[in-house]
Each structure stands twice: as structure tokens, then as C-alpha cells.
Amino acid sequence: MAKAMIKAKISPGVVHNPPEDLRTAIISSPMVLEIWEDITPLARNEWICWIEDAKKPETRNRRIARLCNDLLEGKRRPCCWAGCPHR
């Protein structure tokens, strides 16, 4: 019998919703989740768009790992990126 998976809810950005791979990474660390919920919706939007802007899966995976590390180091937005064009 398959167990039903309970999806943890995490806050979205202003325009973007976190994709499944990002959501999984965020909820896998209680500290990252706590920080994610503390940053502004605009900051969350920037992170999500930066990750979705990656063209290769390897880049996307590196960006997801970097988001987790950067949040833990106190960074609240992706650095060296022009920003989300969708806001």
C-alpha cells in the first residue's frame, strides 16, 4: 500500500511559485525553511526566478544548493544577477 505524501507548504514569491525540486530542498532543512519563510516575498521571487532561469539541469542543481548555503550564510537574495524580469 502506497503512503500518501504530505506536501509541506512553503511561501511563494510575488509572481513565482517554488518548483518541486526547490521546495524539496527547502523543506529538507528546518533552518533553510525558517529563513525562507522570513525573507520577503520579493526576495523569494528573485531566488525562484534565478533558479528557473538556469538552462542546464546541472546549473539548476548548483543554484538550488547555493540558495540553501547562501540563506544559511545570511544572504537574502541571489548575488550577481540582474533580477527577475517578471515583477
Side-chain angles (χ1 to χ4, degrees):
M1 180 188 299
K3 288 184 178 182
M5 292 194 66
I6 299 172
K7 288 195 173 194
K9 185 173 180 347
I10 67 170
S11 297
V14 175
V15 177
H16 301 290
N17 289 312
E20 187 65 28
D21 54 350
L22 176 58
R23 190 186 71 75
T24 299
I26 291 170
I27 64 171
S28 70
S29 168
M31 287 298 296
V32 171
L33 178 58
E34 183 178 332
I35 297 165
W36 178 263
E37 293 299 323
D38 186 54
I39 62 176
T40 67
L42 188 56
R44 289 191 296 266
N45 198 69
E46 296 288 318
W47 284 112
I48 297 166
C49 191
W50 177 66
I51 288 166
E52 291 185 333
D53 191 51
K55 293 172 182 48
K56 295 180 180 179
E58 301 84 26
T59 304
R60 183 182 179 100
N61 291 336
R62 270 195 316 271
R63 288 183 180 186
I64 290 172
R66 182 172 157 196
L67 170 139
C68 294
N69 290 331
D70 283 359
L71 288 178
L72 291 171
E73 290 177 0
K75 297 177 184 167
R76 303 189 61 89
R77 297 199 183 212
C79 110
C80 308
W81 185 60
C84 176
H86 308 106
R87 50 186 160 116

